[in-house]
Amino acid sequence: MSRNHALASLTEPSAEPVLAPQPVHSSPSGPVRSIVLVGMPGAGKSSIGRRLAGRLGLPFKDADTEIEAAAGLPITEIFARYGEPHFRDGERRVIARLLAGPPLVLATGGGAFADAETRAAVRASGALSVWLRVPLASLLRRVAGREHRPMFLNADPREVLERLIAARHPLFAEADITVDCTDEPPEITTRRVADAIAAHREPAWLRVGLGERAYDIVAGEGLLARAGALIGPVLPTRRVVVVSDAEVAKLHLPALRRGLEAAGFTVMAEHLVPPGEATKCFAVAQGAIETMLAAGADRRTAVVALGGGVVGDLAGFCAAIALRGLPFVQVPTTLLAQVDSSVGGKTGINLSLGKNLVGAFHQPRIVLADTSTLGTLPPRELRAGWAEVAKHGLIAGEEFWAWCEEAGPRAVRGDPEALAHAVLESCRLKAAVVAADEREESEEGGRALLNLGHTFGHALEAESGYGGALLHGEAVAVGLGLAASLSARLGHCSQEWPGRVISHLQAVGLPARIGDLPRSYSARLLLGRMRNDKKARDGAMRFVLFKGPGACFTAGGVPPEQVERLLLDEGCAP
């Protein structure tokens, strides 16, 4: 085969799609993944890669060596004859071919992972990518004498490296793991890389299937540090405005900012709002939008919501209406937001007449649920979030509901494994429901089922004035107890279910009956609120009721006197 023909075999379109996901091979101790080392020229990918392969018992390959062997030409000559685009295409095919085989450690060329299609091919292969991040001073010493490499021909190495760092570091940040390398012996660096691989815990990815508006929910620990790398591929530019509340910002905004900047993002503005449900109003929304526009936001600038359900609803609403629509990213930091409000694209603000009466469907581009942020929640906020998990248990079926009953007390004490499972399973349920009925248009069931307990809950919130005396999750918990009691009174479920639901909610420290709340309510005023609820039709109340876990349904035509009798029996004033 001639050299020209060998090169053509690399650059001509392949018969098989490069991006087809590949299987992850398994061993008795668990799945074995290929390791792809990425980084700048001089990062030590080959020397570390050989040592790492020996340590892990895997074969080692160097992508540049494989390319030269396949083409029968040194890389310098490939660049000179055919140009960089042809080289990158061939490089991508070689990397995809190697990763399609048995697990290995692969060292890539300095520009490989900077190519978007190559990054996508690495991700699709199931390989674990590791960025060896080396400071400029060390790189300069290491590239001395590499004048034969194409990028250094007749050029100042410092200028070349500075230019490449500016262009490539934001893209290398998309690697699964980053290891900062120093001038220590390579054996020590290899050990640190191996330790980082062993400690890595892959986040869960769930797809919300909405056609052109489909997006991923990513759930796991440490996502704030990788925020820019995770959201970069789904946004039109790397310019964002962050909306958060003053309390969350103290805890998590610095980590988010570092995660964004590491991937080359420009944070054009940070707009902080007061915490609490009262923040969801026209005046606060106007202030947020004016901050965005004054900072120079255009229709390609993304709005990043960092916080709980209030911030997500408010920021999403602002993104929906500013400039007739801006890209939007949800970074929920509360249990309630991670399991419920951040997924599905419902955004909105409140009126004095009721909750979420002004809003829009505006789907996020991605949801990053960093479960490590749950460790900073006050106990009351964590308990309030559990109400939505319990709601999902009743909607999903007996298995998840039974798990909620067993694991709930551990979760509200902060058990990381229980909380992670609650987030993952809740998101799995909500993603499926939203994909099937995005705009809650199904006549029966569908997305409306996610409002279980909310008709009562929203009325209680509105009557409480949104001042923080009653949290949304606490109102939903009482609403779940009332929905179970109404279901039993109407003959839809056995009499054991109200007691079982109420007992579970009280066991995790939530109010489950109106009598558990610190103030009294009027049955007449609550009924008026429910008639104004956005789910009402022609002034008639609608409820989500259930026959048992996994058997929820929407119901109109519930006799108002039955609802009033229930409220009075629960201790409401007339």
Side-chain angles (χ1 to χ4, degrees), residues 137-184:
S138 298
L139 291 175
L140 281 170
R141 289 191 293 273
R142 296 179 186 184
V143 301
R146 291 195 179 188
E147 291 80 5
H148 64 290
R149 304 298 286 181
M151 67 188 67
F152 295 114
L153 285 173
N154 304 314
D156 178 356
R158 174 179 289 274
E159 291 181 359
V160 171
L161 288 174
E162 288 177 341
R163 173 174 50 81
L164 293 177
I165 285 173
R168 293 179 178 177
H169 272 203
L171 304 174
F172 291 158
E174 294 183 22
D176 298 305
I177 298 172
T178 298
V179 177
D180 285 305
C181 303
T182 65
D183 289 327
E184 64 196 5

Side-chain angles (χ1 to χ4, degrees), residues 251-554:
L251 297 169
H252 303 304
L253 183 53
L256 175 65
R257 190 186 300 123
R258 289 192 297 271
L260 291 170
E261 292 173 349
F265 274 81
T266 298
V267 180
M268 301 177 67
E270 296 170 351
H271 185 82
L272 305 186
V273 300
E277 191 70 32
T279 288
K280 287 172 54 177
C281 65
F282 273 115
V284 176
Q286 179 178 342
I289 292 171
E290 288 178 346
T291 295
M292 297 174 194
L293 300 183
D298 59 29
R299 297 184 71 180
R300 290 161 57 84
T301 304
V303 177
V304 178
L306 173 70
V310 168
V311 166
D313 285 358
L314 175 74
F317 179 62
C318 293
I321 64 175
L323 301 177
R324 296 190 174 91
L326 303 179
F328 175 46
V329 173
Q330 285 270 24
V331 187
T333 60
T334 67
L335 181 61
L336 187 147
Q338 291 188 4
V339 302
D340 187 66
S341 63
S342 65
V343 179
K346 280 188 177 181
T347 72
I349 58 175
N350 305 327
L351 299 179
S352 60
L353 291 174
K355 184 166 179 175
N356 296 331
L357 294 181
V358 176
F361 286 96
H362 191 55
Q363 299 293 345
R365 297 294 182 91
I366 193 170
V367 178
L368 303 186
D370 187 336
T371 54
S372 57
T373 63
L374 301 180
T376 67
L377 284 180
R380 184 186 177 198
E381 290 279 357
L382 195 60
R383 290 193 299 269
W386 188 260
E388 295 286 0
V389 180
K391 178 197 77 175
H392 290 149
L394 291 170
I395 296 170
E398 182 64 44
E399 182 178 353
F400 190 29
W401 170 251
W403 179 85
C404 289
E405 290 183 303
E406 182 276 322
R410 287 188 286 113
V412 298
R413 289 195 299 269
D415 180 85
E417 290 187 7
L419 289 171
H421 185 76
V423 171
L424 185 61
E425 292 307 312
S426 292
C427 287
R428 195 186 310 280
L429 169 73
K430 188 157 188 185
V433 171
V434 169
D437 184 21
E438 178 185 5
R439 293 179 174 266
E440 204 170 306
E441 295 171 330
S442 174
E443 285 296 320
E444 298 297 333
R447 187 167 182 172
L449 298 182
L450 297 172
N451 291 307
L452 177 64
H454 283 58
T455 302
F456 288 111
H458 284 173
L460 290 166
E461 281 187 274
E463 275 299 292
S464 300
Y466 306 123
L470 181 67
L471 299 179
H472 174 67
E474 293 168 339
V476 168
V478 176
L480 291 174
L482 290 169
S485 296
L486 183 60
S487 297
R489 289 186 179 215
L490 295 174
H492 298 305
C493 69
S494 67
Q495 295 299 317
E496 75 168 292
W497 274 107
R500 190 169 169 183
V501 171
I502 289 169
S503 294
H504 170 61
L505 295 169
Q506 291 176 334
V508 297
L510 282 166
R513 308 185 72 164
I514 290 179
D516 295 336
L517 300 178
R519 56 156 289 182
S520 60
Y521 294 86
S522 160
R524 178 180 59 82
L525 294 177
L526 288 176
L527 285 167
R529 296 287 188 183
M530 285 187 270
R531 289 190 178 98
N532 284 328
D533 188 86
K534 63 182 184 297
K535 297 179 292 299
R537 293 183 183 176
D538 300 321
M541 296 177 291
R542 290 181 64 81
F543 295 89
V544 180
L545 303 176
F546 71 97
K547 301 174 182 178
C552 297
F553 62 97
T554 55

Side-chain angles (χ1 to χ4, degrees), residues 54-71:
R55 190 181 184 102
L56 299 178
L58 295 174
F60 170 76
K61 295 288 185 180
D62 184 291
D64 283 353
T65 301
E66 294 292 313
I67 292 167
E68 290 182 333

